[in-house]
Each structure stands twice: as C-alpha cells, then as structure tokens.
Amino acid sequence: HDLSLAAQKALEYLDRLKNVPLNIAITGESGSGKSTLVNALRGIKKQNRGKYIHPQYPNVKIWDLPGVGTTKFTADKYLEHVGFEKYDFFIIVSCDRFRENDAKLAKEIQKMKKKFYFVRSKIDNSIRDEKDGDPELNEVNLLELIRDNCSKELQKLGFESPKVFLVSSLKLHLYEFEDLWKTLDKELPTHQRNVMLLALPNISADVIEQKKQALEDRIKWYTLASAAGAVVPVTGFSDAFDMALLLEFATECKRSLGLMPESLQNLSNVSSIPLEDLKAEIKSSLGTDQLNTTVMIKVLSKAVKVHWFRQICHFPRGRSRRSLQLQAE
C-alpha cells in the first residue's frame, strides 16, 4: 500500500544483488595452468599472480593459490595459511596427473564442508601431443582414456567415484568446462550462482540463454524501483521513466553478454577476430559504445511505434480501427 516504500525496497534488493561476493580458489602445482584458467574465467589474456578481480564484476574474486606441495605447510595447515574460510569453493588443477598432495588437500576441504572440483587442464596440449605421434588417433577415445586415468589415480588416493573435468583454458567452449559450470549451477547457492553466471564468459548458446533468463528475472525489480524516480517523459508513453535505472539495466545486460567495449576488445584478443568485425555483428542500438539518454529515448520511441503498428494491424477494419489510428498519431 506504499509505492514509494516498495520502490525503495526494490532498490535495496537490486543493490544487494550487485554486491553478492563470490570468492573462487584455484590451486595446483606450479605450471599446472592455474593462471591461464583464472584469466580465461575473467575473459582476458593478461598474466598476474595472487588475487584476480573480475574486470566487469568487482564482487567476483578469483584467487591463484600456491599448490600445497610448493609450501612448507601440510594440507591442514595450508588451508589455515591461505585463509580457507573466505573461499566459496575450490578448483584443484593438474595438467597431467593428480598427486597425493592434491588428494590430501581435497580431503581437508571436505572436512571443512566446502566444495571442491578436480580439473585436468591443458587438455588441448595433450590431444595435440598424442596426435603428433598418431594422426589417426580418435579424440573421443583419448579423452575417455585421460578421464579414466585421472579417476583411477584419485581412487587409489581414497576417492570412491571422483568427477574430473577435462578443460582447455584457451578454449573454454570445447571439452568439459560447460559440464563444470552445470555442476556449479546445481551446487552453488542461488545468489552466488547468478553472480557467477553473469560473470561467466559466453561459452555456449545455452549459457547465453541462461544469462538472458537471469536478466529478464530482474526486470520486475527495476520496474518497481523506477516508480520512485520516474521523471523523463517519452512520447507515446503515459508514464515518465527513471532514465538512470533504465540505463543501469541496459548496461548490466551489455556487461553480462560481453558487449562492453573492453569485453569486445578482450574477445578480439583471444579469438583473433578484428574488433570492427565483432562490432559489425551488433544490430541493436543499445549495443553501441555510447549508451546514453538520447539513445535510450530513441529506442523507447521506436518500441512505441512498433506497439501501435501491431495494435492497428490486428484490429478489425472500420470506425474503431480509425479511432485507434488517431490515438496512435
């Protein structure tokens, strides 16, 4: 019964959504491909060490931790040393085989009631090396062999039915990174799952569709919140708009779908497709570099025209249809 209070609550909810923290720990021996995986998750090539903040989502932090075997600490003391409590889940990476230290660490994480996932990295290198020796090698059979070998190693180290994801950090759309995401999608709490989804590279059409649905789910909150600050009139609409919120939501969509200028540049860098060719594929006015009030009003006005055109086309001919045309004009 209080629209302004409801709008304020919607604003508070949207603010909380934007600030849900997500801390991902990636650990493994030196040279296992941790840093490359971290940067792939961030959609960039740049190499750093330590804490990586997502370039578009500062509430998402990915930590490149030293392998337990590279420190003087045992597995239990290692988790204490790196501050295990701040991480939401762990990815344990190996580029060849999982060793005793990996298993000890996983068991300690398990004791702390945190989630962990085994990733066999550099899978593209393994395929290339094997095919150099045997060009006729069946890739599917090779992947199955690598997976079985990893599982057997972990079974010997005390894991009954371990799940191992075969990943190429340079080609996340191939192999089993999407399977890893599907597992995280099921196991992460709802808000953290949505945070990771929107920050995730666009590895498949299914992921893009998931992002679209997650963004559509926020429309009702932006609609309610906009009631508090509707000040910009747009010809053809009976109500004014909170243009700042509209621009915020449109920018959020661009950011998540990888259409921001820096995201397109990063995509160009990792795909070797010229930046201008990528920009040429963007058809929506909202995908332009300069997203501002003028562009937004133009898009809204166009939407009004399309709405009235459809109404008139579906209305029976005669006097009432003419009234509708006059109203549209």
Side-chain angles (χ1 to χ4, degrees):
H1 304 290
D2 187 334
L3 185 58
S4 62
L5 180 59
Q8 182 59 40
K9 291 295 182 185
L11 282 170
E12 291 172 5
Y13 178 72
L14 288 169
D15 188 59
R16 287 201 302 274
L17 284 183
K18 288 183 287 186
N19 292 289
V20 173
L22 180 64
N23 285 278
I24 304 169
I26 297 186
T27 185
E29 294 186 353
S30 178
S32 63
K34 294 178 297 173
S35 296
T36 308
L37 178 58
V38 169
N39 285 315
L41 290 173
R42 298 166 68 227
I44 64 174
K45 279 187 172 180
K46 184 180 178 182
Q47 296 292 323
N48 290 319
R49 301 294 300 174
K51 178 177 71 174
Y52 300 69
I53 297 176
H54 195 284
Q56 300 293 337
Y57 293 89
N59 52 317
V60 177
K61 299 178 180 67
I62 308 173
W63 301 75
D64 181 355
L65 303 181
V68 66
T70 62
T71 69
K72 61 184 178 181
F73 300 100
T74 57
D76 56 335
K77 296 297 183 184
Y78 168 86
L79 286 176
E80 185 179 324
H81 172 65
V82 300
F84 80 94
E85 68 282 346
K86 66 172 168 272
Y87 308 116
D88 296 297
F89 63 89
F90 291 75
I91 295 177
I92 302 173
V93 181
S94 174
C95 63
D96 44 35
R97 64 186 183 86
F98 292 96
R99 293 171 170 79
E100 186 177 0
N101 281 329
D102 298 317
K104 286 180 179 178
L105 178 60
K107 288 174 182 176
E108 288 300 322
I109 296 170
Q110 207 167 37
K111 286 180 188 177
M112 306 295 184
K113 301 191 183 304
K114 298 261 185 174
K115 294 288 187 181
F116 62 89
Y117 306 92
F118 291 113
V119 164
R120 167 61 161 84
S121 64
K122 301 185 181 181
I123 204 69
D124 51 330
N125 290 351
S126 300
I127 292 172
R128 184 194 62 223
D129 293 344
E130 291 294 331
K131 283 195 170 183
D132 283 346
D134 181 5
E136 302 301 319
L137 188 70
N138 184 293
E139 187 173 307
V140 174
N141 292 342
L142 176 60
L143 291 173
E144 191 64 35
L145 178 63
I146 293 171
R147 188 185 301 103
D148 286 348
N149 287 341
C150 288
S151 296
K152 286 175 183 176
E153 288 163 3
L154 289 168
Q155 285 169 355
K156 289 177 185 176
L157 293 168
F159 292 91
E160 188 174 337
S161 54
K163 174 66 176 173
V164 179
F165 300 94
L166 311 183
V167 170
S168 165
S169 298
L170 298 178
K171 301 173 183 176
L172 288 183
H173 60 290
L174 300 178
Y175 313 116
E176 296 177 353
F177 183 81
E178 188 169 4
D179 292 337
L180 173 59
W181 159 244
K182 288 176 180 177
T183 302
L184 292 168
D185 188 25
K186 293 176 184 175
E187 296 185 355
L188 285 176
T190 301
H191 287 323
Q192 288 185 333
R193 180 178 70 235
N194 288 338
V195 167
M196 184 160 185
L197 170 63
L198 295 180
L200 201 66
N202 294 327
I203 55 173
S204 70
D206 286 344
V207 166
I208 294 172
E209 190 61 35
Q210 276 187 284
K211 289 187 178 189
K212 179 188 171 202
Q213 183 59 56
L215 292 165
E216 284 182 348
D217 288 345
R218 295 189 178 189
I219 289 176
K220 59 180 177 289
W221 297 103
Y222 276 96
T223 302
L224 181 56
S226 71
V231 293
V232 180
V234 177
T235 303
F237 284 95
S238 58
D239 299 314
F241 289 88
D242 184 334
M243 196 57 67
L245 272 180
L246 282 175
L247 287 169
E248 179 183 314
F249 179 65
T251 301
E252 171 70 7
C253 292
K254 285 183 64 177
R255 182 163 48 238
S256 174
L257 296 171
L259 299 176
M260 299 294 281
E262 55 269 38
S263 300
L264 290 172
Q265 184 61 65
N266 288 332
L267 178 58
S268 176
N269 292 341
V270 300
S271 66
S272 300
I273 297 174
L275 179 60
E276 293 307 313
D277 289 359
L278 293 174
K279 287 183 176 181
E281 293 297 320
I282 300 173
K283 308 305 180 188
S284 170
S285 301
L286 297 177
T288 59
D289 288 349
Q290 299 300 320
L291 183 56
N292 51 38
T293 300
T294 303
V295 172
M296 186 62 75
I297 290 176
K298 181 180 177 182
V299 170
L300 290 171
S301 298
K302 182 179 178 181
V304 172
K305 293 174 184 176
V306 170
H307 168 75
W308 282 115
F309 178 75
R310 287 175 175 166
Q311 290 282 83
I312 292 168
C313 287
H314 288 90
F315 212 81
R317 291 186 179 276
R319 196 169 186 179
S320 297
R321 180 168 179 173
R322 179 57 185 157
S323 296
L324 193 62
Q325 287 175 314
L326 291 172
Q327 187 180 350
E329 290 166 5

